Amino acid sequence: MEGMMMHRPLLVSTILDYAMKAHRKAGITSARTEGDVHSYSYPEAGARIAQLAHALQGMGITLGDRVATLAWNGYRHFELYYGISGIGAVCHTINPRLSAEQLIYIVNHAEDRVLFLDTTFVPIIAAVKEHLPEDMTYVIMTDRAHMPDTPFPALCYEELLDGQPTEITWPEFDENTACGLCYTSGTTGNPKGALYSHRSTVLHAFTIAISLRHSFGEGRAILPVVPLFHVNAWGLPYAAPLVGASLVMPGQALDGPSLFRLMDQEEVYSAWGVPTVWMGLLAEIKAQGRKPANFEDVVIGGSAAPRSMIETFETMGVSVGHAWGMTEMSPVGTHGCLPQWMNDLPFDEQITAKSKQGRRVYGVDLKIVDEDGTVLPNDGEAIGELYVRGNAVVSGYFRNEEASAKALDAEGWFGTGDVASIDPDGFLVIQDRAKDLIKSGGEWISSIDLENAAMSLPGIATCAAIGVPHPRWDERPVLVAVAAGDDRPTLDEVREHIAPHFAKWQLPDDVIWVESLPMTATGKVSKLNLRKQLADYQHPELRETA
Ligand code: AMP
């Protein structure tokens, strides 16, 4: 309508342009695959991103083309995020932990035209190369001096940039153009692609900068342990430049001592990642008797943050933001930063509140429904399947009619596959993945609750609760645990320790000790593989009668 506001498209290139001018002292520090640490400012990043964009255009890459990356968190990966999508192409990030079969599937399904890879991933591509598109161009993300021998023709990233103009006028196009593509590593069937738009990506960056505001701040350093190769590192490559925070990229060394060293050196204020990486960091903090300099904030998500982990961080003065989301949601859906009035609660109650998955971010609506699709109340009691709606939530899957048809309910809400409750203060509690809930005698037991409680026992490093078949009760819960030391608690000790939080029939019937738990490509315990490993396991009562 005449006389109204201007319409300027929400393009990711506008974030880069803004950071280059408004936050020119902030930038990116990276632990490189070459073995050293590299630092530069956002204006310097922008100059190289312009060079990359010119090089891509020179290769014939245009609007809508898919360009793949297979890389750790580092400045060149950041350059690809902006260089590819800045010219209207789609940055398809590939998870290197996928199986060869899944990798072959997604590269062919996405019809990637160019694949950029870190030197470390040459063997992965060498092993599957004959199954990838024949006309694919490969670019190794390093300089000439570090180029590895490759059994396939490959270009050198730094040579590609050399001599290209360091300035660019970013093209303008519809904000609903795709900018990124990430496949979910579903536990069954082929991976499914979530296709992000420029609009959804920019809005998501605004959203997390506002909701997870404790982590951000001009001049602060944020370290994404969460990979750029999965769900856009929870949006940090966009939100950090937007607010003028610097990024510290850890590269491939994600063990406790390496993370501690980098965080300490670079005075990282906030770090984001899944619970498993924090176990390593916390062990190193314990060994050193101190936390890394300036470390005050941690965002934990991807799977449930154990209460004991939240308590340990908070006790040492590191504030925890427990977040929930998924690939299909760009990914952040809720965040566990507490409202001001909760700061007056006793410490223990604050930890209880932070153990929940938190309140929805702006732009995400939540509803829980029963088996008939009837919406359940947000009373903290009712438990139902969780559906979401929002401007950074997928409306279907990339080139997958079958999965798209099943993704939304009749009202257009996306089914998360999670089972949850929501309390009157708006706090979401994820009880389980629907398929991981344990059903005993017709009643449900949350595997997350059992794991959370058991992990607070000092003798248990990590664990997973699963249901095993039982003739009378349908399923019974057992705990599969990794010991923290030589002193393993007995089954009775485990039951006694967690008994105050559960009904008696919800307590596990057995503890199975293992060396390690099988993990998925995204750092979660793979219950599917765990069940396969325990295929021959029998419930203790069945053994007695056998
Ligand atoms: P992905 O798409 O790989 O990011 O996985 C998304 C799934 O991870 C969600 O549907 C949840 O089941 C699980 N998840 C993510 N964050 C949390 C959390 N904070 N607590 C419990 N489960 C989580």
Side-chain angles (χ1 to χ4, degrees):
M1 200 182 287
E2 213 178 310
M4 281 189 67
M5 297 297 134
M6 291 180 193
H7 175 76
R8 304 285 305 136
L10 298 172
L11 301 178
V12 300
S13 54
T14 62
I15 296 180
L16 179 66
D17 264 347
Y18 177 71
M20 286 171 70
K21 297 185 182 96
H23 303 302
R24 63 194 187 90
K25 300 283 183 206
I28 303 175
T29 298
S30 314
R32 297 205 290 183
T33 47
E34 286 91 342
D36 55 356
V37 173
H38 170 277
S39 261
Y40 67 2
S41 65
Y42 285 132
E44 285 165 327
R48 281 171 54 87
I49 292 166
Q51 290 184 306
L52 173 64
H54 287 296
L56 286 166
Q57 284 172 330
M59 292 163 96
I61 298 299
T62 57
L63 202 80
D65 283 343
R66 268 80 59 200
V67 176
T69 66
L70 192 62
W72 301 107
N73 289 5
Y75 66 106
R76 293 188 185 108
H77 206 170
F78 177 89
E79 291 167 3
L80 285 159
Y81 262 59
Y82 282 92
I84 296 168
S85 48
I87 60 167
V90 181
C91 179
H92 171 204
T93 50
I94 303 176
N95 186 335
R97 300 191 190 112
L98 292 177
S99 68
E101 197 187 333
Q102 288 173 320
L103 193 142
I104 293 166
Y105 172 83
I106 66 170
V107 172
N108 285 294
H109 185 262
E111 292 188 75
D112 295 320
R113 293 199 44 203
V114 185
L115 197 155
F116 286 83
L117 66 153
D118 268 338
T119 50
T120 27
F121 298 129
V122 169
I124 291 187
I125 293 301
V128 298
K129 161 92 181 39
E130 59 179 301
H131 303 288
L132 301 184
E134 258 177 41
D135 55 355
M136 177 84 83
T137 304
Y138 296 92
V139 185
I140 314 274
M141 294 162 66
T142 189
D143 55 20
R144 178 51 58 188
H146 292 88
M147 276 294 276
D149 284 336
T150 52
F152 49 89
L155 303 175
C156 164
Y157 186 90
E158 293 300 329
E159 283 177 1
L160 200 67
L161 267 60
D162 270 352
Q164 296 287 355
T166 54
E167 288 188 4
I168 190 165
T169 305
W170 293 109
E172 272 193 21
F173 39 78
D174 188 334
E175 63 185 17
N176 293 308
T177 305
C179 71
L181 176 63
C182 178
Y183 283 75
T184 62
S185 44
T187 41
T188 49
N190 284 322
K192 296 174 283 188
L195 189 65
Y196 310 108
S197 69
H198 282 259
R199 175 186 159 81
S200 68
T201 303
V202 173
L203 290 177
H204 182 267
F206 288 169
T207 298
I208 63 167
I210 295 164
S211 300
L212 289 152
R213 58 194 166 279
H214 302 277
S215 307
F216 292 101
E218 215 173 326
R220 279 183 183 158
I222 306 188
L223 183 142
V225 184
V226 46
L228 274 83
F229 60 68
H230 182 62
V231 283
N232 310 317
W234 296 348
L236 280 178
Y238 305 109
L242 189 68
V243 300
S246 290
L247 285 166
V248 176
M249 303 284 208
Q252 65 191 100
L254 304 176
D255 58 288
S258 304
L259 278 180
F260 188 106
R261 209 173 313 121
L262 187 65
M263 289 172 71
D264 203 36
Q265 262 167 23
E266 302 303 326
E267 302 199 346
V268 167
Y269 178 84
S270 174
W272 294 29
V274 294
T276 31
V277 296
W278 304 131
M279 288 183 192
L281 181 72
L282 284 173
E284 182 62 16
I285 289 175
K286 197 170 169 201
Q288 298 230 9
R290 69 175 181 101
K291 61 176 183 166
N294 209 37
F295 180 34
E296 288 189 27
D297 181 90
V298 65
V299 174
I300 311 179
S303 34
R307 183 189 170 96
S308 49
M309 178 176 283
I310 297 175
E311 201 168 348
T312 310
F313 273 127
E314 293 277 341
T315 307
M316 67 176 73
V318 176
S319 171
V320 175
H322 184 191
W324 165 87
M326 58 196 310
T327 309
E328 288 90 334
M329 301 178 70
S330 300
V332 180
T334 62
H335 71 95
C337 305
L338 301 187
Q340 192 67 24
W341 66 266
M342 282 194 168
N343 291 342
D344 298 331
L345 292 177
F347 182 73
D348 207 46
E349 283 176 40
Q350 289 190 29
I351 301 298
T352 302
K354 289 206 169 194
S355 301
K356 300 177 180 181
Q357 277 74 7
R359 294 167 296 160
R360 69 194 179 103
V361 297
Y362 171 77
V364 170
D365 296 327
L366 307 174
K367 71 171 178 185
I368 46 170
V369 302
D370 67 11
E371 281 166 10
D372 306 325
T374 308
V375 178
L376 299 170
N378 293 357
D379 58 7
E381 300 286 327
I383 293 174
E385 240 189 273
L386 179 62
Y387 281 77
V388 294
R389 195 171 66 172
N391 43 36
V393 176
V394 292
S395 59
Y397 291 100
F398 179 56
R399 291 180 165 174
N400 190 335
E401 279 176 27
E402 199 190 334
S404 297
K406 289 189 222 150
L408 307 185
D409 72 3
E411 274 86 46
W413 294 64
F414 175 81
T416 63
D418 286 340
V419 174
S421 62
I422 303 171
D423 73 18
D425 292 317
F427 279 75
L428 177 78
V429 176
I430 299 287
Q431 305 287 338
D432 234 323
R433 289 294 295 163
K435 58 187 184 328
D436 292 336
L437 266 176
I438 302 165
K439 194 168 199 181
S440 176
E443 298 286 340
W444 296 107
I445 307 172
S446 155
S447 66
I448 294 182
D449 280 355
L450 283 179
E451 289 154 10
N452 228 328
M455 269 193 262
S456 68
L457 254 178
I460 294 183
T462 183
C463 66
I466 57 167
V468 296
H470 188 281
R472 174 147 180 231
W473 303 113
D474 194 10
E475 273 186 344
R476 287 295 301 149
V478 301
L479 206 64
V480 188
V482 178
D486 294 335
D487 258 349
R488 292 176 176 182
T490 62
L491 172 63
D492 283 343
E493 282 165 348
V494 173
R495 288 169 59 97
E496 202 174 306
H497 179 79
I498 70 176
H501 313 289
F502 294 91
K504 198 153 177 269
W505 60 270
Q506 294 180 315
L507 298 176
D509 286 349
D510 201 2
V511 180
I512 305 163
W513 294 100
V514 291
E515 285 300 312
S516 62
L517 292 171
M519 303 301 276
T520 66
T522 55
K524 302 167 207 241
V525 174
S526 169
K527 294 211 172 157
L528 187 81
N529 285 341
L530 192 59
R531 286 197 196 93
K532 278 188 197 153
Q533 282 176 16
L534 295 175
D536 295 332
Y537 172 84
Q538 279 196 317
H539 188 272
E541 278 172 29
L542 295 179
R543 268 178 268 155
E544 280 154 24
T545 55

